[in-house]
Amino acid sequence: MGGSNSSRRICVHQALGGGHVADVLLWKKWCGGVVILTSATALWYLFERAGYNFLSFVANVLLLLVLILFFWAKSATLLNRPLPPLPDLEISEESVSMVADELRLWINFALSIARDIAIGRNLKLFLQVALGLWIVSFIGSFFSFLTLVYIGVLLSLSAPIVYDKYQDQINENNYFKRICRGTLAGFQQDDQ
């Protein structure tokens, strides 16, 4: 039982990209996971439960940042200390063109899929998109967008570590495999 499954065992760390993100999602760098979980929970509570407005939040954070930098610069000149270390706040033309090229590729890809769906060339793709949008609409009627994002963060921080730890048991007891086997067994019994 263990010999056949160990050869099919997937390295979850490599499947997640093998870098810093994989370390955080698998809680190997627990500090990053705690920061993400704490900040996601705080933001969800702030906006969803406390009813705080996003625009007000951004304006207040920027106001606080400007006040801190202003008073730091004024006190630095009075106390003969160095000014706050601010880099030149400008975006290079090269980085803007790289982002624009990448964005153009994604937009063209989405428009080509939309064209195929609108013209009706690909019925399977149309049905997949229609079903996907209907599922998103159905789930969205139960939760707010922010709650869905929060659930996604929680799942992204818990599902990889659970799968990595219990991969053999999950693969053995795969629910969908049992359904398919039961369905196929029912069809085979009906044929006989």
Side-chain angles (χ1 to χ4, degrees):
M1 178 156 75
S4 64
N5 285 342
S6 64
S7 64
R8 289 185 286 162
R9 188 166 174 81
I10 298 169
C11 180
V12 178
H13 190 267
Q14 289 301 321
L16 292 173
H20 185 70
V21 173
D23 290 341
V24 170
L25 290 177
L26 291 172
W27 291 85
K28 291 182 180 179
K29 296 195 180 215
W30 63 271
C31 188
V34 168
V35 166
I36 290 174
L37 183 62
T38 305
S39 55
T41 302
L43 288 173
W44 176 79
Y45 182 79
L46 186 67
F47 294 129
E48 192 67 25
R49 292 289 163 211
Y52 204 57
N53 191 344
F54 180 71
L55 188 59
S56 299
F57 175 74
V58 170
N60 288 335
V61 166
L62 289 175
L63 176 64
L64 183 64
L65 178 67
V66 167
L67 282 172
I68 289 171
L69 290 174
F70 177 78
F71 284 122
W72 187 355
K74 285 298 177 188
S75 64
T77 56
L78 291 174
L79 301 172
N80 292 328
R81 296 277 193 199
L83 290 174
L86 281 176
D88 291 335
L89 301 176
E90 59 184 44
I91 300 172
S92 69
E93 191 173 328
E94 179 182 313
S95 62
V96 170
S97 65
M98 281 183 11
V99 169
D101 287 342
E102 189 68 29
L103 188 62
R104 181 184 56 84
L105 290 174
W106 280 95
I107 290 173
N108 284 340
F109 177 70
L111 289 175
S112 70
I113 290 174
R115 184 177 186 273
D116 286 346
I117 291 170
I119 291 176
R121 282 191 206 163
N122 194 344
L123 181 63
K124 182 180 176 185
L125 181 63
F126 168 73
L127 292 175
Q128 286 175 343
V129 169
L131 181 68
L133 290 174
W134 181 79
I135 289 171
V136 168
S137 173
F138 183 73
I139 292 172
S141 67
F142 294 115
F143 304 105
S144 69
F145 177 71
L146 190 60
T147 301
L148 284 176
V149 170
Y150 182 63
I151 290 170
V153 169
L154 292 178
L155 286 175
S156 69
L157 288 173
S158 59
I161 188 71
V162 169
Y163 183 71
D164 189 40
K165 191 170 188 176
Y166 300 107
Q167 183 176 7
D168 294 332
Q169 292 89 344
I170 291 171
N171 290 343
E172 275 181 21
N173 299 322
N174 193 345
Y175 180 69
F176 296 111
K177 287 182 185 175
R178 286 189 287 162
I179 289 175
C180 291
R181 272 192 238 127
T183 306
L184 291 176
F187 284 131
Q188 290 171 353
Q189 289 173 357
D190 291 341
D191 290 340
Q192 294 175 354

